[in-house]
């Protein structure tokens, strides 16, 4: 099952363009937001958002979050997802350049415009964010979460 779970998690992350961020504000009020994302290693996930968006403000207050990526096109009962716990933040410095490189490559491959540093730094409307995933899970045949180690090459 471990090899199957690993392959499943990678396939879901590679085949889907949106993830849902589950954030909370300083008082613990929850908020969920879908965002388009890019990754090249399944552990570092990047997206672009306004720093004024509720999920961005929440991450500034509480950088821990939950993330899920799933295929919403399949019939009920046939879907699978990757459930993740992570730490996220607005990127700056070298992290900004590295994240932007992955994000720009992903957006170009998807037929979207290529984002530049000027698009994600002041006074631009958007910023680039990155999440470092510390746990990935998929569901087994009994709807129980199975931990997947995506660091395995």
């Amino acid at each position: 099952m471990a090899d199957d779970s690993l392959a499943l998690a990678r396939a879901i992350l590679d085949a889907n363009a949106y993830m849902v961020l589950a954030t909370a504000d300083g008082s613990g009020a929850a908020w969920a937001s879908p965002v388009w994302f890019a990754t090249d290693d399944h552990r570092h996930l990047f997206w672009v958002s306004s720093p004024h968006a509720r999920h961005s403000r929440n991450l500034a207050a509480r950088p821990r979050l939950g993330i899920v990526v799933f295929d919403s096109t399949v019939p009920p009962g046939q879907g699978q997802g990757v459930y993740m716990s992570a730490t996220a933040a607005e990127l700056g410095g070298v992290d900004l350049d590295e994240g932007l490189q992955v994000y720009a490559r992903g957006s170009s491959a998807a037929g979207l415009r290529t984002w530049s540093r000027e698009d994600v730094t002041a006074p631009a409307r958007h910023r680039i964010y990155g999440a470092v995933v510390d746990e990935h899970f998929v569901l087994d045949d009994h709807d129980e979460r199975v931990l997947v180690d995506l660091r395995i090459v």
Side-chain angles (χ1 to χ4, degrees):
M1 178 69 174
D3 288 340
D4 291 344
S5 297
L6 180 64
L8 176 62
R10 286 180 174 157
I12 292 168
L13 289 170
D14 290 342
N16 292 281
Y18 291 92
M19 63 183 178
V20 177
L21 308 176
T23 63
D25 66 15
S27 68
W31 187 253
S33 299
V35 296
W36 189 91
F37 77 99
T39 183
D40 64 356
D41 67 0
H42 307 114
R43 291 190 62 240
H44 298 88
L45 311 174
F46 303 99
W47 69 96
V48 169
S49 289
S50 165
H52 304 292
R54 188 168 177 178
H55 60 273
S56 299
R57 294 189 326 264
N58 287 354
L59 289 172
R62 289 183 182 220
R64 294 291 299 160
L65 74 160
I67 301 171
V68 65
V69 175
F70 61 96
D71 180 358
S72 65
T73 65
V74 298
Q78 296 180 18
Q80 261 289 8
V82 180
Y83 306 84
M84 296 165 269
S85 61
T87 302
E90 179 182 332
L91 302 180
V94 173
D95 292 336
L96 184 151
D97 294 325
E98 291 173 0
L100 185 57
Q101 184 178 30
V102 173
Y103 189 82
R105 191 168 44 247
S107 62
S108 292
L112 305 172
R113 73 181 180 100
T114 301
W115 289 72
S116 70
R117 191 176 234 282
E118 291 75 32
D119 293 321
V120 294
T121 55
R125 179 175 175 248
H126 295 96
R127 301 293 180 271
I128 188 158
Y129 292 81
V132 178
V133 179
D134 48 60
E135 292 181 311
H136 297 79
F137 297 89
V138 295
L139 297 180
D140 67 12
D141 295 337
H142 305 288
D143 286 336
E144 298 291 329
R145 287 192 181 187
V146 175
L147 182 64
V148 179
D149 188 353
L150 286 179
R151 294 172 296 182
I152 298 172
V153 179

